[in-house]
Amino acid sequence: MLSENIKTIRKSKGHSQEELAIKLNVVRQTISKWEHGLSVPDSDMLIALSEVFKIPVSTLLGDNVIESEPDELKAICQKLEIINMQLAQKKITRQKIINRLLVLLCMAILIICAILMVLNSPYLGWNYSDPETAVVGAAFHIFEWLFIRLAPIVFIGAGVGIFLTGRNL
């Protein structure tokens, strides 16, 4: 039981007899003797084995450890492949959405620029003696002032974003 468990766990962890021997500071033949049931490790060596394998000593001493079936591994690999494909598809979908939102942002900036050019700052000719007109005129002026200063920066940033997200699609 112990000999079979050592061999099974060693193989499942991907260690050769030589690698395990180096980690435990013993010769390879010692590992071979343990696995063939010709000798058994002492209590200190059992603790060292459990630390190397990262399992409790009781697992080493307990019932036979069942080696993973190749079919189970194949099924796990297939599930992981499906998950990876789904994640890749979500990433592509997310990039498409971001790309389209950035295109819409650029279009909105161009449309607002066209509207502001057509309107040609009508608030400059308004009578500001009326308080309501003054508030609306000041708000319109602030919007136009901020838009003219920020729109080029946002437009360039959105253009770069469109290029970067579109490149990976």
Side-chain angles (χ1 to χ4, degrees):
M1 203 164 26
L2 175 63
S3 59
E4 293 171 13
N5 287 347
I6 292 173
K7 186 175 184 177
T8 304
I9 294 169
R10 175 184 60 79
K11 285 184 175 182
S12 72
K13 298 290 184 176
H15 298 298
S16 67
Q17 286 184 345
E18 185 69 31
E19 292 170 339
L20 183 58
I22 290 170
K23 289 184 180 190
L24 296 173
N25 294 321
V26 296
V27 294
R28 187 200 56 78
Q29 289 80 0
T30 304
I31 304 296
S32 179
K33 286 180 182 179
W34 292 345
E35 290 182 357
H36 288 94
L38 300 175
S39 69
V40 292
D42 63 11
S43 60
D44 290 335
M45 214 35 83
L46 281 173
I47 293 171
L49 273 169
S50 73
E51 289 173 356
V52 168
F53 292 148
K54 296 180 180 154
I55 60 170
V57 174
S58 60
T59 302
L60 283 170
L61 297 173
D63 293 332
N64 286 348
V65 176
I66 299 171
E67 200 169 342
S68 297
E69 295 292 325
D71 293 337
E72 290 177 23
L73 292 175
K74 195 173 192 178
I76 291 171
C77 288
Q78 289 173 343
K79 288 178 183 179
L80 287 174
E81 187 176 339
I82 291 169
I83 291 170
N84 283 336
M85 289 173 53
Q86 290 172 343
L87 290 173
Q89 187 62 38
K90 282 184 181 181
K91 181 180 178 185
I92 290 171
T93 303
R94 193 176 317 122
Q95 283 181 330
K96 284 181 182 179
I97 291 170
I98 291 171
N99 185 278
R100 290 181 181 140
L101 288 174
L102 292 172
V103 168
L104 287 173
L105 178 63
C106 287
M107 289 173 53
I109 289 172
L110 292 175
I111 290 170
I112 292 172
C113 279
I115 290 171
L116 289 176
M117 288 175 65
V118 168
L119 290 178
N120 198 20
S121 302
Y123 60 87
L124 295 176
W126 291 355
N127 180 8
Y128 283 94
S129 59
D130 180 24
E132 291 176 5
T133 306
V135 169
V136 172
F140 193 67
H141 177 70
I142 290 170
F143 170 76
E144 185 181 70
W145 185 86
L146 284 173
F147 182 80
I148 296 300
R149 277 149 186 81
L150 296 178
I153 297 167
V154 173
F155 189 78
I156 291 170
V160 169
I162 291 169
F163 173 75
L164 292 176
T165 57
R167 185 176 66 181
N168 296 330
L169 295 179

